[in-house]
């Protein structure tokens, strides 16, 4: 099973055209004596692997054992995300079908090609950890600057809050208080309906 992709941005550039990719895939299959079932394609700009129906069909063919390998001419034709690429490698391993990417030297059926795939997966893991670390550092900086994090609390008027407290002191549940507020003229400062969770947050 072959796969080719060209984006609207690089459609006419040498080495990226659909014809050049098809030729490279056919030549590799001929060299190995493989039967090329067909070549799926996507013609669209960038995006994630999930937004490419041609690639989805190619992977499904391999998952169903209709095809035993997925061949692409260039790694960026499959994905420009290291994370997505690593996920595809793991899917191929789990499904026991081969993944061959000509420019990167990936071939899960050979020791060297397997090693190249492992290197890419290692960098994907590194990428995820770096993103996680940057996120934690960013949140820590935001907290030191007094930035409020998390879901914003629904604004509550003083009258509504006092009414809630009276009802809560009277033994009503958060759900009963929300029902009472929704049946009365009392509304949140944004005019939204009250919910038990909203009442709970407001009283806290």
């Amino acid at each position: 099973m072959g796969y080719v992709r060209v984006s609207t941005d690089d459609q006419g550039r040498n080495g990226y055209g659909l014809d050049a990719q098809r030729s490279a895939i056919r030549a590799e299959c001929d060299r190995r004596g493989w039967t090329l079932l067909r070549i799926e394609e996507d013609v669209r700009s960038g995006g994630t692997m999930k937004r490419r129906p041609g690639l989805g069909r190619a992977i499904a063919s391999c998952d169903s054992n209709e095809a035993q390998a997925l061949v692409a001419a260039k790694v960026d034709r499959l994905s420009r995300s290291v994370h997505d690429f690593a996920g595809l490698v793991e899917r191929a391993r789990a499904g026991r079908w081969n993944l061959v990417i000509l420019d990167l030297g990936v071939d899960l059926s050979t020791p060297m090609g397997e090693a190249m795939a492992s290197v890419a997966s290692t960098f994907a893991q590194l990428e995820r950890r770096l993103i996680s670390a940057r996120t934690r550092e960013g949140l820590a900086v935001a907290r030191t600057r007094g930035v409020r994090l998390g879901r914003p609390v629904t604004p509550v008027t003083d009258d509504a809050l006092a009414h809630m407290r009276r009802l809560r002191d009277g033994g009503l549940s958060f759900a009963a208080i929300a029902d009472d507020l929704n049946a009365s003229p009392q509304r949140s400062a944004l005019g939204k309906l009250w919910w038990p969770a909203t009442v709970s947050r407001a009283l806290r």
Side-chain angles (χ1 to χ4, degrees), residues 5-199:
R5 180 182 69 85
V6 64
S7 73
T8 53
D9 296 330
D10 57 28
Q11 195 163 2
R13 296 179 187 172
N14 293 333
Y16 286 88
L18 294 177
D19 289 342
Q21 294 175 61
R22 289 193 191 98
S23 295
I25 291 170
R26 290 193 182 101
E28 183 66 14
C29 290
D30 289 343
R31 185 182 71 82
R32 298 190 182 210
W34 291 350
T35 298
L36 181 59
L37 184 63
R38 64 180 178 275
I39 298 178
E40 296 285 358
E41 69 176 56
D42 285 311
V43 181
R44 59 178 57 197
S45 59
T48 63
M49 293 172 64
K50 294 180 181 179
R51 299 174 63 183
R52 297 176 188 159
L55 180 57
R57 291 191 298 269
I59 294 173
S61 295
C62 294
D63 284 341
S64 66
N65 292 322
E66 179 188 15
Q68 297 179 341
L70 175 58
V71 184
K74 294 177 176 290
V75 66
D76 65 354
R77 300 301 88 189
L78 283 173
S79 174
R80 289 176 178 170
S81 163
V82 178
H83 174 69
D84 283 350
F85 171 69
L88 181 59
V89 170
E90 291 308 313
R91 184 165 179 173
R93 286 170 173 161
R96 297 184 181 278
W97 46 269
N98 194 9
L99 178 64
V100 178
I101 305 173
L102 304 182
D103 71 329
L104 198 61
V106 167
D107 182 346
L108 299 185
S109 68
T110 69
M112 184 60 71
E114 175 76 15
M116 291 300 297
S118 296
V119 169
S121 297
T122 298
F123 275 99
Q125 183 180 29
L126 175 62
E127 181 183 55
R128 289 193 296 271
R129 289 182 176 178
L130 289 174
I131 290 172
S132 178
R134 285 195 295 267
T135 300
R136 289 195 301 271
E137 291 169 0
L139 291 174
V141 171
R143 290 191 187 97
T144 61
R145 294 177 177 174
V147 177
R148 299 184 65 177
L149 305 173
R151 178 185 292 181
V153 177
T154 301
V156 180
T157 63
D158 291 339
D159 289 343
L161 185 57
H163 186 65
M164 284 186 230
R165 285 174 176 159
R166 285 195 298 271
L167 295 178
R168 186 61 176 168
D169 291 341
L172 270 67
S173 66
F174 295 136
I177 295 173
D179 290 341
D180 180 89
L181 290 168
N182 288 328
S184 73
Q186 295 282 1
R187 285 289 185 271
S188 71
L190 298 179
K192 295 182 179 180
L193 291 176
W194 295 100
W195 299 93
T198 311
V199 173

